[in-house]
Amino acid sequence: QVQLVESGGGLVQPGGSLRLSCAASGGTFSRLTMGWFRQAPGKEREFVARITWSESRTYYADFVQGRFTISRDNAKNTVWLQMISLKPEDTAVYYCAARQYSTDPWGSWGQGTQVTVSS
């Protein structure tokens, strides 16, 4: 099973930017679809974005509204989530996840990285 470690979270002012990273090990990263999820206090975990292993197709939640970009580098076993125009409602713990096929559950999860958007 692949291990995932997120980094890059922190405190940012509204309108600011952050770039989250997720480093993978122990699996065939190039054959994994990678995703980002988030969980705000008192709320359920929700999907943010995913990128497929084949053709690097990307998909986003509606609330992203063009502000976030997911990307990957298979040579570095890393996936990123670039976030701009951050809003206070983006405050959450952000998790990286992995699966192989779209019919699979998200079987591997990172420990999460805190993103706080506040002035």
Side-chain angles (χ1 to χ4, degrees):
Q1 192 170 6
V2 65
Q3 289 78 48
L4 304 172
V5 178
E6 303 96 334
S7 60
L11 174 64
V12 63
Q13 292 186 342
S17 302
L18 278 176
R19 188 192 196 201
L20 306 183
S21 299
C22 173
S25 61
T28 307
F29 181 80
S30 61
R31 299 300 298 270
L32 295 173
T33 287
M34 301 300 298
W36 285 97
F37 292 76
R38 70 185 189 183
Q39 187 168 19
K43 296 187 177 181
E44 294 187 353
R45 188 175 299 186
E46 62 180 350
F47 166 76
V48 177
R50 71 178 187 269
I51 183 167
T52 65
W53 59 268
S54 62
E55 303 179 354
S56 290
R57 294 179 181 175
T58 58
Y59 303 85
Y60 298 93
D62 289 343
F63 64 77
V64 168
Q65 297 178 329
R67 301 180 297 124
F68 298 175
T69 302
I70 188 172
S71 60
R72 66 189 296 161
D73 185 333
N74 289 340
K76 296 182 178 179
N77 285 0
T78 301
V79 62
W80 296 275
L81 184 68
Q82 177 70 52
M83 305 185 293
I84 65 171
S85 302
L86 284 163
K87 307 174 182 180
E89 51 264 43
D90 294 317
T91 295
V93 178
Y94 283 71
Y95 297 91
C96 177
R99 68 183 185 190
Q100 187 167 10
Y101 300 110
S102 61
T103 53
D104 292 338
W106 293 96
S108 298
W109 293 85
Q111 82 289 349
T113 185
Q114 176 70 47
V115 171
T116 302
V117 185
S118 175
S119 55

